[in-house]
């Protein structure tokens, strides 16, 4: 109680600050805080790479997040284990298993938050990743027991074919795999872009899902609609139009031929500049 009154006595604040700075408790807390900041900084430096390294040998400069973090923050037993020839369990197979386990636990924690009402909406979009592989992002929007709105990604899924039939089949599969039985839902909303393969009135993804569950409501994604509005707005600005046409033509020229793309990457490396994929 006395200490509390002293803190509130602002006329003597400098005196109390000096006493606090000289106290053992402050020194211990400051040391822990400094260690924490160093930990965060080291983690940021390590986290700039991928989870799995392309070269994980002993002399590699960048072994990937997994190995680098183990070596940086592991105790002596861990470091000794990593230096052994066998039995360190850090191969790509084990790392992939770890990623799968983390993904499974994350999805379970997300789905546990869903209220008993079981009302949710799905947001789906597809795009190519850095490796030019078509990926479908699947996001679920729902409410928890306290009626708070959540919007969580359940994953990205590789699509070999991006027609309406295969996209709809994959959506149904994801819903079933995550125990989101579409027949037990009070209401399901679907939100996609305005492409015909997604929004088609007769054979689009939204119609195929509506054929199974008639109460589903299709909503044209507001972000995509805003993008269309911006595109239509800048069509009257010649300078902007010419810029985007030039960029698009360059992209088509480089990406539509494997030889040109390889030469483009090679030229960037020769000039020691950041490689643009």
């Amino acid at each position: 109680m006395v200490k509390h009154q002293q803190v509130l006595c602002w006329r003597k604040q400098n005196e109390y600050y000096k006493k606090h700075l000289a106290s053992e408790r402050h020194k211990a807390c400051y040391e822990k805080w400094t260690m924490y900041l160093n930990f965060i900084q080291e983690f940021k430096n390590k986290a700039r790479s991928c989870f799995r390294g392309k070269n994980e040998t002993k002399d590699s400069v960048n072994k990937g997040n997994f190995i680098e973090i183990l070596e940086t923050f592991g105790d002596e037993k861990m470091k000794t284990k990593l230096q052994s020839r066998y039995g360190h369990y850090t191969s790509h197979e084990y790392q992939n298993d770890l990623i799968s386990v983390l993904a499974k636990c994350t999805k379970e924690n997300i789905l546990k938050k869903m209220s008993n009402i079981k009302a949710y909406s799905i947001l789906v979009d597809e795009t190519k990743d850095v490796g030019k592989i078509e990926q479908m992002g699947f996001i679920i929007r729902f409410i928890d027991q306290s009626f708070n709105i959540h919007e969580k990604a359940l994953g990205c899924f590789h699509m070999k074919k991006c027609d309406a039939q295969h996209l709809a089949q994959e959506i149904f599969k994801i819903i079933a795999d995550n125990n989101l039985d579409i027949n037990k839902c009070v209401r399901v909303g679907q939100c996609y872009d305005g492409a015909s393969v997604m929004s088609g009135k007769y054979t689009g993804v939204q119609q195929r899902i509506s054929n199974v569950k008639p109460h589903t409501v299709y909503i044209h994604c507001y972000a995509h609609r805003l993008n269309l509005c911006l595109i239509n707005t800048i069509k009257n600005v010649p300078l902007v139009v010419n810029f985007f046409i030039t960029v698009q033509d360059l992209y088509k020229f480089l990406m539509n031929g494997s030889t040109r793309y390889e030469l483009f990457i090679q030229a960037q490396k020769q000039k020691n500049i950041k490689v643009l994929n």
Side-chain angles (χ1 to χ4, degrees):
M1 191 69 180
V2 176
K3 290 183 178 179
H4 181 66
Q5 291 175 350
Q6 289 176 347
V7 171
L8 295 178
C9 184
W10 294 106
R11 289 176 297 176
K12 298 181 180 180
Q13 56 180 306
N14 292 334
E15 180 182 344
Y16 293 124
Y17 286 158
K18 291 178 181 179
K19 289 182 179 179
H20 176 73
L21 290 172
S23 66
E24 294 298 324
R25 182 180 180 185
H26 171 76
K27 292 178 181 179
C29 291
Y30 181 77
E31 183 180 358
K32 291 180 180 178
W33 175 248
T34 304
M35 292 174 62
Y36 171 76
L37 292 178
N38 292 335
F39 175 88
I40 295 298
Q41 186 59 46
E42 289 189 48
F43 180 78
K44 285 182 178 179
N45 293 335
K46 301 296 181 183
R48 291 174 183 173
S49 57
C50 300
F51 185 86
R52 223 174 69 181
K54 185 176 181 180
N55 181 6
E56 296 180 352
T57 58
K58 183 179 180 180
D59 299 327
S60 176
V61 178
N62 189 347
K63 303 173 186 177
N65 278 347
F66 184 66
I67 303 296
E68 293 284 358
I69 291 175
L70 286 178
E71 291 183 349
T72 303
F73 306 119
D75 55 19
E76 293 301 322
K77 290 184 179 179
M78 174 64 70
K79 292 179 181 179
T80 303
K81 190 74 173 175
L82 291 173
Q83 291 174 0
S84 62
R85 186 174 182 181
Y86 302 107
H88 41 71
Y89 305 108
T90 57
S91 66
H92 292 177
E93 289 79 9
Y94 284 106
Q95 292 187 43
N96 289 340
D97 288 343
L98 177 60
I99 294 173
S100 299
V101 171
L102 291 174
K104 182 179 179 181
C105 293
T106 301
K107 285 195 289 186
E108 288 178 352
N109 290 333
I110 290 173
L111 297 174
K112 283 179 182 178
K113 293 181 179 180
M114 186 179 292
S115 68
N116 295 328
I117 299 175
K118 299 297 182 183
Y120 65 90
S121 298
I122 57 174
L123 295 84
V124 175
D125 197 9
E126 70 281 348
T127 186
K128 290 182 180 179
D129 61 15
V130 178
K132 307 298 182 295
I133 297 175
E134 197 72 35
Q135 301 278 0
M136 183 181 76
F138 188 94
I139 299 173
I140 182 172
R141 184 180 174 92
F142 62 92
I143 58 173
D144 59 18
Q145 301 292 351
S146 301
F147 298 99
N148 297 313
I149 299 174
H150 296 269
E151 196 170 287
K152 302 290 185 179
L154 294 184
C156 291
F157 303 87
H158 174 43
M159 296 299 302
K160 294 182 178 179
K161 294 183 178 180
C162 290
D163 55 73
Q165 179 182 353
H166 287 86
L167 287 170
Q169 288 176 353
E170 185 66 20
I171 290 172
F172 283 125
K173 182 178 182 299
I174 295 169
I175 291 174
D177 290 345
N178 289 282
N179 297 320
L180 297 170
D181 191 347
I182 199 170
N183 295 311
K184 293 182 180 180
C185 295
V186 177
R187 186 180 184 88
V188 178
Q190 14 175 4
C191 181
Y192 319 123
D193 58 25
S196 59
V197 68
M198 304 299 294
S199 63
K201 185 177 180 180
Y202 300 105
T203 59
V205 171
Q206 65 92 9
Q207 186 58 45
R208 291 173 184 270
I209 293 179
S210 296
N211 291 339
V212 176
K213 206 64 179 173
H215 65 245
T216 56
V217 178
Y218 164 65
I219 299 172
H220 187 179
C221 175
Y222 278 26
H224 285 89
R225 292 169 70 177
L226 176 60
N227 182 59
L228 293 174
C229 291
L230 292 173
I231 291 174
N232 289 328
T233 302
I234 65 174
K235 280 183 178 180
N236 296 323
V237 184
L239 185 64
V240 178
V241 173
N242 291 335
F243 169 78
F244 281 106
I245 289 176
T246 303
V247 172
Q248 188 173 13
D249 289 342
L250 282 172
Y251 178 83
K252 289 180 180 179
F253 176 76
L254 294 171
M255 298 304 170
N256 289 342
S258 57
T259 305
R260 291 194 293 267
Y261 176 73
E262 291 176 0
L263 291 173
F264 176 61
I265 298 297
Q266 185 179 354
Q268 294 177 86
K269 291 180 179 179
Q270 289 175 351
K271 291 183 177 294
N272 294 322
I273 60 177
K274 184 178 179 180
V275 176
L276 299 175
N277 293 314

